[in-house]
């Protein structure tokens, strides 16, 4: 569904444009001033902006300049009065993609916005194809043989209707692969609905998945569609599916088998047309063998299994990904860093990445924020690897009463503070690394005996 931001201080025109957007099944956001418009742009995805040239005492050209500066690919259509033709020309020079002169025909609006949306779709498809050729697939860079096999499998199964189970450690990109499968399918224009099975409380899961009728339970003062119905015609992605409670495993199995479901409080079965993709970071085969996950549900979900390799096993992909994240972080943080020092590359290659691609992305974003040179130095690559066996041993000592909890926490806090001081150039920078202000950081230094 296209999202259209309408920026106009004329309430009646806002209403007309809102109705027109809803008729086209576009999602309209309404803003009567620049502050509200900026709020939408900063917090919501927007596909096209319809921007009035004059907003009371404010000028739409100011917002147009800001959009061209921070969101150069966002299309803007100016709305002008008939007498403002010269200003419309100025807006086109500033980067507006088109303009509408008041009064305008709604059909004219539809033609312009449909053209813009079609161009955006074609551009996205072309970029998608270029990325695949260059070793990119969706947002995952994978030049190593393991990832190339994953991409080839996605291309093969994407156009089919087979259910897919994606396995791999946390942070390996399971959701992005799921989205790539969806985008490669005949359902690409329909919804992709992700559900984190571990994040929804057991007592709410059924109502979230299947929806409910009015009066189904106390507080159900109106009917609500469930996520299954929201994904009708598209793809539903069950992330961390191994976290599903046993009661929901039974109901989900029936839903997949019968291709029907019943909302809470409802008497009639509803048909569904949905493809199921699922993912887990656990050893689900072991869970099946121990009776912790239903065998029949596992086989329903795992028509094809895709296993994503951990980042530490992907060789040169580490540097390719680091360079990709570097460019993106520099753009976001408005910095000009051209690459990595040789020792920084060695440090990146020598780390084990327990948090996988997601951790690498965080490491690079943090390095860009800290780096003062024009290349990333090894000191700016802050990595928080820990020895899990050693940590477990220390926890056992606490549980056995050999060390008090307060003393253990002070010890851990002191270690973290010392590491931050070692890696930073001063206390202010060390505080920033830990998300503290300088006053909070100094208090913690005093509390742990690192500063008198």
């Amino acid at each position: 569904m296209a999202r259209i931001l309408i920026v106009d201080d004329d309430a009646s025109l806002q209403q007309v444009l809102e109705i027109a957007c809803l008729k086209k099944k576009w999602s309209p956001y309404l803003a009567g001033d620049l502050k509200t418009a900026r709020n939408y742009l900063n917090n919501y995805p927007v596909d096209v902006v319809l921007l009035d040239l004059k907003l009371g005492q404010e000028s739409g050209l100011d917002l147009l300049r800001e959009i061209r500066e921070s969101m150069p690919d966002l299309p803007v259509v100016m709305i002008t009065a008939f007498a403002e033709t010269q200003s419309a020309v100025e807006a086109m020079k500033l980067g507006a993609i088109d303009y509408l002169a008041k009064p305008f025909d709604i059909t004219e609006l539809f033609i312009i916005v449909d053209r813009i949306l079609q161009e955006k779709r074609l551009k996205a498809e072309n970029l998608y194809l270029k990325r695949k050729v260059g070793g990119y697939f969706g947002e995952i860079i994978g030049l190593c043989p393991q990832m190339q096999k994953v991409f080839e499998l996605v291309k093969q199964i994407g156009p089919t209707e087979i259910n897919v189970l994606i396995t791999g450690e946390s942070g390996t990109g399971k959701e992005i692969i799921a989205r790539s499968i969806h985008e490669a399918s005949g359902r690409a224009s329909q919804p992709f609905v992700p559900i984190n099975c571990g994040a929804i409380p057991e007592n709410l899961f059924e109502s979230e998945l299947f929806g409910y009728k009015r009066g189904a339970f106390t507080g159900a003062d109106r009917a609500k569609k469930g996520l299954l119905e929201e994904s009708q015609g598209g793809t539903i992605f069950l992330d961390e599916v191994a976290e599903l409670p046993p009661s929901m495993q039974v109901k989900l199995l029936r839903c997949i088998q019968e291709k029907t479901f019943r909302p809470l409080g409802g008497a009639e079965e509803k048909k569904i047309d949905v493809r199921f993709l699922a993912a887990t970071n656990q050893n689900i085969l072991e869970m099946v063998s121990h009776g912790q996950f239903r065998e029949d549900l596992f086989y329903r979900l795992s028509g094809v299994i895709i296993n994503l390799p951990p980042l530490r096993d992907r060789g040169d992909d580490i540097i390719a990904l680091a360079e990709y994240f570097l460019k993106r972080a520099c753009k976001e943080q408005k910095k000009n860093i051209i690459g990595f020092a040789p020792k920084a590359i060695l440090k990146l290659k020598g780390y084990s990445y327990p948090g996988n691609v997601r951790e690498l992305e965080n490491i690079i974003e943090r390095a860009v924020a800290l780096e003062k040179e024009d290349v990333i130095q090894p000191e700016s690559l802050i990595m928080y690897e820990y020895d899990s066996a050693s940590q477990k041993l220390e926890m056992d000592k606490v549980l056995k009463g050999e060390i008090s909890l307060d003393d253990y926490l002070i010890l851990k806090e002191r270690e973290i503070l010392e590491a931050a001081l070692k890696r930073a150039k001063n206390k202010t920078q060390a505080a920033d690394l830990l998300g503290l202000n300088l006053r909070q950081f100094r208090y913690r230094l005093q509390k742990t005996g690192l500063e008198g």
Side-chain angles (χ1 to χ4, degrees):
M1 181 183 287
R3 293 148 298 206
I4 314 296
L5 174 59
I6 300 163
V7 188
D8 199 301
D9 60 348
D10 183 337
S12 60
L13 182 57
Q14 269 193 1
Q15 187 175 19
V16 169
L17 292 174
E18 181 182 25
I19 293 169
C21 287
L22 292 172
K23 281 183 178 178
K24 287 286 287 183
K25 299 192 181 328
W26 297 335
S27 179
Y29 302 141
L30 305 180
D33 53 58
L34 297 188
K35 182 180 179 182
T36 307
R38 290 186 186 108
N39 182 57
Y40 276 119
L41 290 169
N42 290 332
N43 295 288
Y44 298 90
V46 173
D47 295 302
V48 180
V49 178
L50 303 180
L51 175 59
D52 195 1
L53 191 62
K54 289 189 177 178
L55 301 157
Q57 299 300 311
E58 298 178 310
S59 170
L61 293 178
D62 292 336
L63 184 64
L64 175 60
R65 290 187 186 95
E66 292 174 23
I67 292 172
R68 290 284 68 81
E69 177 74 23
S70 59
M71 304 174 183
D73 296 327
L74 179 59
V76 178
V77 178
M78 299 301 296
I79 300 172
T80 71
F82 181 74
E84 296 168 343
T85 308
Q86 189 57 43
S87 296
V89 172
E90 184 184 352
M92 297 293 283
K93 288 179 180 177
L94 286 171
I97 202 164
D98 212 328
Y99 72 92
L100 287 163
K102 299 177 185 176
F104 55 84
D105 192 314
I106 291 298
T107 305
E108 185 183 1
L109 168 71
F110 287 163
I111 291 170
I112 290 174
V113 177
D114 275 329
R115 173 174 54 78
I116 292 169
L117 294 173
Q118 178 65 15
E119 287 173 358
K120 284 191 75 173
R121 277 192 292 270
L122 289 172
K123 186 177 179 182
E125 287 170 8
N126 288 336
L127 180 61
Y128 174 73
L129 291 171
K130 285 177 185 175
R131 281 180 168 178
K132 282 201 290 184
V133 171
Y136 293 71
F137 201 99
E139 292 179 31
I140 292 188
I141 296 171
L143 302 171
C144 69
Q146 303 99 305
M147 290 305 297
Q148 286 297 308
K149 286 179 183 177
V150 169
F151 297 161
E152 188 59 38
L153 190 53
V154 169
K155 283 190 285 185
Q156 285 181 290
I157 64 174
T160 73
E161 288 294 300
I162 195 166
N163 294 337
V164 182
L165 176 65
I166 306 164
T167 63
E169 296 177 8
S170 292
T172 48
K174 295 187 288 295
E175 182 171 344
I176 297 174
I177 288 296
R179 287 183 183 275
S180 297
I181 294 170
H182 171 73
E183 289 163 8
S185 75
R187 299 174 179 268
S189 62
Q190 300 302 314
F192 175 88
V193 179
I195 302 173
N196 188 329
C197 298
I200 303 175
E202 183 174 354
N203 61 329
L204 296 179
F205 204 99
E206 188 172 2
S207 63
E208 285 294 312
L209 192 61
F210 300 133
Y212 52 82
K213 295 293 185 182
R214 182 180 177 184
F217 50 84
T218 304
D221 55 352
R222 58 184 176 82
K224 180 190 172 185
K225 286 183 180 180
L227 293 169
L228 268 176
E229 199 166 354
E230 293 285 351
S231 57
Q232 191 74 278
T235 303
I236 200 160
F237 174 55
L238 302 165
D239 196 11
E240 302 308 337
V241 70
E243 301 289 337
L244 269 177
S247 61
M248 283 309 302
Q249 290 183 30
V250 176
K251 291 172 181 176
L252 179 62
L253 173 65
R254 180 180 177 278
C255 175
I256 296 172
Q257 286 176 330
E258 306 296 331
K259 297 193 180 301
T260 62
F261 72 97
R262 183 182 298 172
L264 282 176
E268 296 181 3
E269 296 281 343
K270 291 194 172 189
K271 290 273 187 186
I272 56 163
D273 173 22
V274 169
R275 184 183 191 179
F276 287 90
L277 306 179
T280 181
N281 61 7
Q282 299 190 44
N283 187 335
I284 197 165
L285 281 171
E286 188 175 302
M287 293 179 70
V288 168
S289 67
H290 292 157
Q292 297 168 319
F293 194 87
R294 291 187 65 99
E295 184 177 16
D296 43 9
L297 177 58
F298 167 75
Y299 287 121
R300 285 287 178 182
L301 291 172
S302 60
V304 172
I305 298 177
I306 296 178
N307 183 54
L308 296 186
L311 183 57
R312 59 185 171 274
D313 294 341
R314 289 174 53 185
D316 289 340
D317 279 3
I318 292 171
I319 302 306
L321 280 160
E323 289 171 347
Y324 171 77
F325 292 138
L326 175 65
K327 289 178 184 176
R328 194 168 72 182
C330 286
K331 184 177 179 181
E332 290 171 354
Q333 299 182 34
K334 294 182 172 56
K335 297 188 78 171
N336 186 26
I337 299 174
I338 59 174
F340 296 91
K343 287 185 179 179
I345 290 176
L346 289 174
K347 188 172 182 179
L348 286 169
K349 286 183 173 180
Y351 184 55
S352 65
Y353 300 98
N356 289 292
V357 178
R358 191 180 300 129
E359 183 181 11
L360 174 61
E361 182 180 6
N362 291 338
I363 288 169
I364 301 304
E365 286 179 353
R366 186 163 52 238
V368 171
L370 294 174
E371 189 57 67
K372 294 180 179 177
E373 307 295 332
D374 58 357
V375 293
I376 298 291
Q377 302 299 320
E379 296 78 18
S380 296
L381 297 168
I382 311 299
M383 298 162 176
Y384 299 120
E385 192 167 23
Y386 60 90
D387 185 340
S388 58
S390 171
Q391 189 180 59
K392 187 176 184 299
L393 184 63
E394 289 176 349
M395 285 185 182
D396 286 341
K397 287 183 178 180
V398 175
L399 294 172
K400 290 176 182 177
E402 295 175 15
I403 179 174
S404 74
L405 177 60
D406 285 342
D407 287 345
Y408 174 75
L409 293 175
I410 288 288
L411 177 66
K412 292 289 106 181
E413 188 171 0
R414 183 186 177 107
E415 288 177 3
I416 293 168
L417 293 170
E418 285 177 332
L421 285 168
K422 185 183 292 185
R423 292 169 178 173
K425 295 177 180 177
N426 52 50
K427 288 179 182 176
T428 301
Q429 197 179 84
D432 287 340
L433 288 176
L434 301 175
L436 303 172
N437 60 40
L438 189 56
R439 184 182 59 79
Q440 292 169 324
F441 186 70
R442 281 180 171 154
Y443 165 74
R444 289 172 184 269
L445 291 176
Q446 291 172 355
K447 185 178 77 169
T448 55
L450 290 173
E451 186 175 272

